[in-house]
Amino acid sequence: MIAWATWLVCGAYAEDSEFAGTVAPPEEQKTELTAELGGTLATGNSNYYAVNGGMALKHTAGKNQLTVGAGLNLGAARAVIDTDGDGVPEGIADQYTENARRLFADARYDRFLSDKDSLYALAGAFHDRFAGFDLRAHEQLGYSRRLVKDDDTELRVEIGADWAQEDYVTDVDPNYANVIAARLLVGVSHKFSEQVAFSDTAEIYENVINVDDVRILNNATLTSALSGKLSLKLTHALIFDNVPVEGFRPLDQTTMVTLVATLL
C-alpha cells in the first residue's frame, strides 16, 4: 500500500505582489481548521456500520506553513448464519466482525521561496491491518511548484523522496521492510462557483531499490457548500500497489460522503 499522505496533505499558498515575477507570502498569520464526519448504520435483516472522519489544520505565518491532518475509517458487520448451506439464513451472529480499520496522521512543514515555490518536509504514519500494515511510518523531503495559481484554479507539481518503515501484521514473513522511493505528485483544484469546487491529486511512488514496486494514490473530491460553515463532500480514494503486502490485494478503493465543518 502506499503512504497515506493524500487524503489531507495541502500545498502552500501566497499572495501580495513584491515586484514583477516574484510575489512574497503574506506576513500576517492565518489559521484554518476543518473537521469532517460521515457514516452508515443498518439494523434488522442487515447489521453493519461504517464511520469516516478527519480533521485538517493549516497555520501560515509569513513564509512558513504548517499543515496537520488525521483521520479514520472504521467498519464492522454481523455475519449472516447459514448452517445448512441452502442460501436461506437461519439467523445473524451475535457479535460484530470488524471489516475496516484505517487510522492515519500526517504533519507537513512548507518554507516558501516565492508565491509559487516551496520546500517541504513531511512525517506521517497509518495503521490498516486489512491492507497488511500494523504500522507504516514515513518521512518525506521535496520541492513544490505551483504552475497555475489564481482565484479559481490551482495546478501544482511536487517531486521528492520518501522513506517508509513498514511493520506488517502477524503471519507476514518477513514482518518488516524499509522502502526508499522517489515521489511525484500532480494536483489540480478548481472552483466552479462560490458553492461548488473540485480537486484531484495523483501521487506516484517508485521504489528505488526494487524498481518493480510502483505505488499510486489518487484522491478526487467534489465539495458543495451548504452554508458559510458547512459543506458536503464526496470523495473517491484509490490506492494501488503492484507489489502489495504478501497475501493481500493490490487495489483498494473508498467512496464516501462526509459533512465538513469549518471551525476556523
Side-chain angles (χ1 to χ4, degrees):
M1 300 300 299
I2 100 173
W4 179 267
T6 67
W7 211 23
L8 296 167
V9 174
C10 301
Y13 299 87
E15 298 174 357
D16 298 342
S17 297
E18 192 173 57
F19 57 86
T22 302
V23 180
E27 292 302 323
E28 69 271 13
Q29 297 190 22
K30 182 179 180 181
T31 301
E32 299 175 22
L33 176 62
T34 62
E36 59 182 286
L37 182 66
T40 301
L41 174 65
T43 60
N45 292 307
S46 297
N47 289 260
Y48 60 87
Y49 69 83
V51 178
N52 299 287
M55 61 78 62
L57 171 68
K58 181 168 67 175
H59 179 73
T60 304
K63 297 182 179 181
N64 306 289
Q65 180 172 275
L66 176 65
T67 307
V68 179
L72 56 83
N73 181 0
L74 305 175
R78 290 169 62 186
V80 173
I81 300 173
D82 180 13
T83 56
D84 55 13
D86 62 356
V88 179
E90 286 81 44
I92 299 175
D94 293 332
Q95 301 295 324
Y96 280 90
T97 300
E98 190 177 40
N99 54 25
R101 189 209 305 166
R102 183 180 180 90
L103 310 172
F104 63 89
D106 288 290
R108 169 169 165 158
Y109 167 73
D110 281 84
R111 173 67 179 182
F112 296 109
L113 305 178
S114 73
D115 69 320
K116 293 184 177 182
D117 304 89
S118 68
L119 300 177
Y120 72 85
L122 180 148
F126 74 82
H127 162 79
D128 188 346
R129 71 182 186 90
F130 292 97
F133 294 98
D134 187 46
L135 181 66
R136 189 182 198 272
H138 71 123
E139 300 79 39
Q140 288 181 15
L141 293 173
Y143 166 74
S144 181
R145 170 74 177 180
R146 286 115 192 114
L147 301 178
V148 177
K149 180 70 173 74
D150 58 36
D151 291 340
D152 296 326
T153 305
E154 177 178 303
L155 173 64
R156 78 182 191 276
V157 295
E158 296 181 353
I159 56 173
D162 182 89
W163 175 33
Q165 306 86 50
E166 300 181 344
D167 283 290
Y168 306 126
V169 295
T170 306
D171 299 331
V172 175
D173 186 26
N175 197 246
Y176 176 85
N178 278 288
V179 179
I180 301 175
R183 173 182 181 262
L184 172 65
L185 176 146
V186 178
V188 61
S189 61
H190 179 71
K191 289 175 61 177
F192 296 101
S193 67
E194 291 300 320
Q195 288 74 38
V196 180
F198 172 80
S199 68
D200 188 87
T201 303
E203 289 180 90
I204 300 176
Y205 291 80
E206 171 62 54
N207 190 325
V208 298
I209 306 299
N210 177 11
V211 294
D212 293 330
D213 183 10
V214 179
R215 305 175 179 204
I216 299 172
L217 167 67
N218 191 84
N219 195 62
T221 65
L222 181 65
T223 305
S224 178
L226 302 177
S227 68
K229 293 291 186 180
L230 294 177
S231 300
L232 193 65
K233 184 169 75 171
L234 172 65
T235 303
H236 178 264
L238 180 150
I239 303 173
F240 173 78
D241 186 352
N242 69 325
V243 184
V245 178
E246 183 179 354
F248 292 84
R249 297 180 179 180
L251 179 64
D252 282 323
Q253 297 187 73
T254 304
T255 301
M256 58 187 174
V257 177
T258 53
L259 185 66
V260 181
T262 301
L263 305 179
L264 293 176

